[in-house]
Amino acid sequence: MRILFLLQAFLLLLPLAGRSAPTDTHITVETQRTALVIRVNKDGDPTVVHLGRRLQSAAEYASIPNNGKRAEDYTGIYNSAYTPAGGRNLLEPAIQVTHADGNPSLDLKYVRHETANVSDGVVLTTVYLKDPQYPFEVNLFYKAYQKEDVIEQWSSIRHTEKKPVRMQKYASANLYIPAKNYYLTHFHGDWAHEMKPEEVQLTAGLKIVDTKLGTRADLFQAPSFLLAMNEPAQEDNGEVLAGTLAWSGNYQLAFEVDPLQNLRVIPGINPYASEYVLAPGKELVTPAFLFTYSTTGTGTASRNMQRWARKHRIPDGEGNRLTLLNNWEATYFGFNEEKLTALFQDGKKLGVDLFLLDDGWFGNKYPRNNDHTSLGDWQENKTKLPHGLGYLVKQAESTGIRFGIWVEPEMVSPKSELYEKHPDWVLKLPNRSEYYFRNQLVLDLSNPQVQEFVYGVVDGIMTKNPTLNYIKWDCNAVIYNAFSATIGNQSNLYVDYVQGLYKVMERLRTKYPKLPMMLCSGGGGRVDYGALRYFTEYWPSDNTDPMERIFIQWNYSYFFPSIASCNHITDWGKQPIKFRTDVAMMGKMGYDIVVSKLDEKELAFSQQALKTYDRLKDVIWHGDQYRLVAPQKNDLASLMYVSDRQDKAVWFSYLVSNRYGSGSQALVRLKGLNPAKKYRIQELNVYPGTNSAINQNTAVYSGDYLMTVGFNPNVSTSRTSVVLEITESN
Ligand code: GLA
């Protein structure tokens, strides 16, 4: 009888076992549709109990069982909001430190939290944590961009112990997600094939995506990922989290399916070779981890991220950009004033806004005529440019276009005056021969003197040429020979380097807030929101074959907006100029071709295309992007941009297969239109001498029809790319 009673009592209590106690504190970080809820239990441990759709009533968060418990959590902190290592933790930590007295454990207890409105629709929640035994504090920051549904999370760490604390790990975030299954899409590649997606189902234990390259850090792996819950990622359905770490150096994204089958996500700086020595009273602020959560697939997640970036992150993200003609592939290192002046005229004839002078303009003792010398010697080469940059700027301007220039200020060639003068400014190891990446070495940006020099490269050019209007900032080497001649703790180098770089960029942006700047890194070796705080646009890849670019640009679009994607028309690939132009148009368009080699029709087409682009760019740059047909699984790639007011849209479709009969047999359903509005469809970029099948059709369709039934863009082997303008019609 007694046993029965006990059993009954146990069964009655069971549903309550994982519930919060009335004394628990709940910290809710909410956007319009998403909530991240931290529960502080009676012991003061901050734990994540919800990351997902926002509840209508915040009071109900208290009813959520602890960490979606499906069995016993031995430690009670599998779902820690910032897992400290060394005490009772059994899983991947977010932070691991050795205190000044040698104690290798950390405990982090809740002290208090506060919430503040940073600006319209942006709310910052700060959670203060402290070790009960040591003067060691961690603050967790959650910035919620309400309208964009994006949460930016980072931490700051400081202490007042008697001596420095050694930190083996110091992540930016620590999320916890209970679901049935987890599908991770990460993006990897190499030079000329950036951002190749790979989707894997996560299994029990750890999966790490990381880089150890230092600079040009994303060459093999991007710091951006998609995480689909329960089912593989879909464009318009299903739960998905899009995440990206805003850091231009070594990062680590850790995904751990824990013993309860819940997922722990711990992104941050890579602990590899980076035990960080933190002096008393100093603060380490970790990079921001950005994420958006969607219950309607990757489409919504991307639009959230793109909108957030335009509004809150990328300089002039809601503003204008310049079309340009770049000379890299037209001349490589072989140019002089005469050639360049002729190219200015070509640019003007074509109708672009700006001429961009690429690599090869500098160095005198060692002229930059190939990529083996001169980086660091940022003076005009007197043979190629006897009258200096000022003359070129004026010449360009008198031709009617602006002038911009390429620099690679973080780097140094072994054959350069800079290296001869300041060998201690270069990252290189004592007692070892130097390893070169693209024949060059990396400057030591942890050294304030080097920061001053790097700042001075751009500031010097701009001071002498105040109307120069574009900087392409390149970074072609990874960090080999990681050793600084001046830094105290070598294991701080990878972190200090990036912080040094950001210091320089911050100063430049403060002095030149309006200057358009392209972020390039031997192609797309550095595309992250840490750097994109300072750059108006990025170079996705040196691979400009338009067939390749359809895929590359598509994959970047999961995280980055079209206004920031530099898409150039070049001579890569076998496709006609129309195809190349149509692909470049789905972002920030530019050229890198020999204009004088275009035949009459090609030139006329390109001139008209630039005018058309001028008319459409507002929708392409500032509108919402909808991916319609994915190139990975279909004969075509199709995507569209829709204006905020849903009165205009631009729709791009490209054939990506050369199999017999491939094309758009089926109707393609449009997205993002207003079902109640009527729209007219008109083909653009029609090549001179050809006719559009679509323009014969003067019908007007409702948004409802176009999104339910669809429309055939008529892509085929004889119409390999099609651009359609969709305009509201009465
Ligand atoms: C890198 C860039 C190119 C070009 C060259 C110049 O490879 O990605 O666009 O600027 O450097 O050396």
Side-chain angles (χ1 to χ4, degrees), residues 228-304:
M229 271 62 88
N230 305 314
E231 303 288 333
Q234 300 169 63
E235 185 65 11
D236 298 306
N237 298 298
E239 276 182 78
V240 67
L241 182 145
T244 182
L245 189 77
W247 186 244
S248 309
N250 290 350
Y251 66 82
Q252 184 193 72
L253 312 172
F255 304 88
E256 182 175 34
V257 177
D258 76 3
L260 301 182
Q261 200 46 37
N262 296 328
L263 181 67
R264 313 175 71 244
V265 182
I266 307 179
I269 289 175
N270 198 340
Y272 165 76
S274 294
E275 184 182 65
Y276 195 84
V277 183
L278 188 66
K282 293 266 187 239
E283 185 175 48
L284 177 71
V285 179
T286 68
F289 172 63
L290 292 147
F291 70 92
T292 179
Y293 164 85
S294 143
T295 52
T296 45
T298 49
T300 305
S302 305
R303 284 185 291 281
N304 291 347

Side-chain angles (χ1 to χ4, degrees), residues 328 333 358-359 368 406 438 472 474 476 520 522-523 539 542:
W328 176 238
F333 296 97
D358 214 284
D359 196 356
R368 178 80 168 170
W406 176 97
R438 207 200 185 200
K472 174 178 176 183
D474 211 338
N476 279 298
C520 177
W539 184 235
D542 279 350

Side-chain angles (χ1 to χ4, degrees), residues 358-391:
D358 214 284
D359 196 356
W361 59 268
F362 49 92
N364 283 299
K365 181 171 176 189
Y366 305 105
R368 178 80 168 170
N369 291 327
N370 56 53
D371 64 10
H372 285 254
T373 68
S374 330
L375 292 172
D377 301 346
W378 300 105
Q379 299 82 34
E380 297 95 324
N381 175 271
K382 294 211 168 74
T383 315
K384 288 182 193 172
L385 309 177
H387 300 97
L389 286 180
Y391 169 81

Side-chain angles (χ1 to χ4, degrees), residues 389 393 397 403-405 461-462 465-471 515:
L389 286 180
V393 177
E397 285 172 356
F403 184 85
I405 201 161
I461 293 172
M462 292 307 298
N465 308 285
T467 60
L468 190 143
N469 206 37
Y470 194 89
I471 297 285
L515 181 65

